[in-house]
Amino acid sequence: MVDSVPTRAERIAAVVGIGAALSLVPAAAAGSGLAVVLLLFVAVTCGTVAKVRVGLDELLPFGLRSVSDDDPEAERYRERRQKRDEQVRSSLSFDYDPRIDRLLAVAPTVVAGGALVVAIGSGGDGRNAGRLLVVALIAFNGALIVYAASYVEILP
């Protein structure tokens, strides 16, 4: 079964995520820590919504408009994608084990847990406690995203 054309919402999320990722550098250069954290959160969240299915191959022919699955452009897209997937399958010669990805989710969980322990242990004094809570939030979200992505079958 070949995937359908990415939905309009997925393509919009990809554009917003790319815009947020590109805005990170100017926000960091301006020294706005809160803006950097918010832009990073938006970029990661929108990237998750786009589910790595939206790239230039999808944005250029379809843009941000709605496309039905019986559209001729959608048929050509599916044929190109099926051909590309077959090339990737033939070039890869290893067995993918999603348990490795699930094991990788342990690292950001440990970082988040450590940040929470230090923030609680310091009694919540000063600016460092807030920064540690932000690190914990980002690390927990990263762990959840890695764990969820391990269940997405990119190559059957």
Side-chain angles (χ1 to χ4, degrees):
M1 180 180 146
V2 178
D3 288 338
S4 62
V5 174
T7 64
R8 182 175 184 222
E10 289 173 336
R11 293 191 306 266
I12 290 173
V15 169
V16 171
I18 291 168
L22 293 176
S23 302
L24 275 171
V25 173
S32 176
L34 181 62
V36 169
V37 170
L38 289 175
L39 286 170
L40 187 61
F41 180 75
V42 167
V44 170
T45 304
C46 288
T48 304
V49 170
K51 296 187 288 194
V52 191
R53 286 177 16 120
V54 181
L56 286 178
D57 291 341
E58 292 79 14
L59 285 177
L60 292 179
F62 302 121
L64 299 178
R65 63 184 171 87
S66 295
V67 177
S68 64
D69 279 340
D70 59 352
D71 190 277
E73 287 184 51
E75 286 295 324
R76 287 192 296 274
Y77 163 76
R78 282 195 287 275
E79 290 170 4
R80 281 193 317 266
R81 183 164 174 122
Q82 188 174 18
K83 187 184 297 182
R84 188 179 62 214
D85 287 348
E86 288 173 7
Q87 290 173 346
V88 169
R89 278 190 205 98
S90 66
S91 66
L92 295 176
S93 62
F94 66 91
D95 293 329
Y96 170 73
D97 189 6
R99 291 181 292 176
I100 294 172
D101 285 345
R102 293 181 199 123
L103 186 62
L104 289 174
V106 172
T109 304
V110 169
V111 169
L116 284 176
V117 167
V118 171
I120 292 170
S122 69
D125 297 333
R127 292 179 10 182
N128 288 337
R131 290 179 180 170
L132 287 170
L133 291 175
V134 169
V135 167
L137 173 71
I138 292 171
F140 273 135
N141 282 331
L144 288 172
I145 290 168
V146 168
Y147 189 73
S150 70
Y151 285 99
V152 176
E153 290 186 25
I154 295 175
L155 295 173

